[in-house]
């Protein structure tokens, strides 16, 4: 119907404008993401985007299991919003199967607070922006666990 076409055109126009404003505003603001949260080397920066720095709490790494097949661990991630001066946290859950190429790992997340975890494959060779947070968190944790650079 013509109403539906007009509605879809309006939604598309608003989306394009919102996207453009988002790009413009984020391109102007370049926040200072310190290498460590509060200059504490136990909280290295893993990702920064749109005013929020993500830091891994290295002291929170908890190895669930480690054997000949792989390693599974959880870690706390701290999100510092530099615009609002607020902090929030979450837990990241990873599994590395040793028989896979070194660049591949798995991360689990919940779609909703109490829903079951869903596992997704991560790839350190994927340089897409949306992958960088999980990639750097996994990499930083593996280097902390093994005490040496993680090669992939």
């Amino acid at each position: 119907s013509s109403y539906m076409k007009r509605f879809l055109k309006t939604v598309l126009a608003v989306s394009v404008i919102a996207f453009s404003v988002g790009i413009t505003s984020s391109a102007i603001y370049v926040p200072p993401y310190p290498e460590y949260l509060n200059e504490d080397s136990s909280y290295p920066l893993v990702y920064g985007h749109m005013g929020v720095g993500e830091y891994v709490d290295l002291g929170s790494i908890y190895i669930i299991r480690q054997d000949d097949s792989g390693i599974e661990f959880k870690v706390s991630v701290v999100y510092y919003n530099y615009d609002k001066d607020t902090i929030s946290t979450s837990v990241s859950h990873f599994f590395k199967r040793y028989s896979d190429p070194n660049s591949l790992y798995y991360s689990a997340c919940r779609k909703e607070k109490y829903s079951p975890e869903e596992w997704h494959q991560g790839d350190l060779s994927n340089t897409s922006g949306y992958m960088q947070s999980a990639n750097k968190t996994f990499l930083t944790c593996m280097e902390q666990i093994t005490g040496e650079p993680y090669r992939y």
Side-chain angles (χ1 to χ4, degrees), residues 1-59:
S1 72
S2 66
Y3 172 76
M4 187 57 122
K5 285 181 184 177
R6 202 169 349 127
F7 174 76
L8 290 174
K9 284 181 182 178
T10 304
V11 169
L12 180 62
V14 169
S15 299
V16 168
I17 290 168
F19 181 74
S20 300
V21 169
I23 288 176
T24 305
S25 62
S26 65
I28 293 169
Y29 179 63
V30 180
Y33 297 113
E35 185 178 3
Y36 300 104
L37 184 61
N38 295 327
E39 299 178 17
D40 184 340
S41 62
S42 298
Y43 293 87
L45 177 71
V46 291
Y47 190 66
H49 184 65
M50 295 184 71
V52 178
E54 295 181 29
Y55 298 86
V56 172
D57 177 359
L58 295 177

Side-chain angles (χ1 to χ4, degrees), residues 32-91:
Y33 297 113
E35 185 178 3
Y36 300 104
L37 184 61
N38 295 327
E39 299 178 17
D40 184 340
S41 62
S42 298
Y43 293 87
L45 177 71
V46 291
Y47 190 66
H49 184 65
M50 295 184 71
V52 178
E54 295 181 29
Y55 298 86
V56 172
D57 177 359
L58 295 177
S60 73
I61 296 173
Y62 173 72
I63 297 174
I64 297 167
R65 67 183 171 99
Q66 185 173 18
D67 55 31
D68 292 342
S69 66
I71 182 170
E72 181 180 358
F73 61 92
K74 290 186 176 186
V75 65
S76 290
V77 179
V78 177
Y79 303 88
Y80 183 75
N81 187 317
Y82 286 91
D83 294 335
K84 298 178 182 174
D85 193 29
T86 57
I87 286 184
S88 59
T89 61
S90 71
V91 174

Side-chain angles (χ1 to χ4, degrees), residues 89-110:
T89 61
S90 71
V91 174
S92 293
H93 188 178
F94 295 99
F95 175 67
K96 170 64 188 150
R97 184 181 301 131
Y98 294 141
S99 60
D100 287 341
N102 276 357
S103 65
L104 300 182
Y105 66 91
Y106 296 87
S107 62
C109 62
R110 299 180 193 284

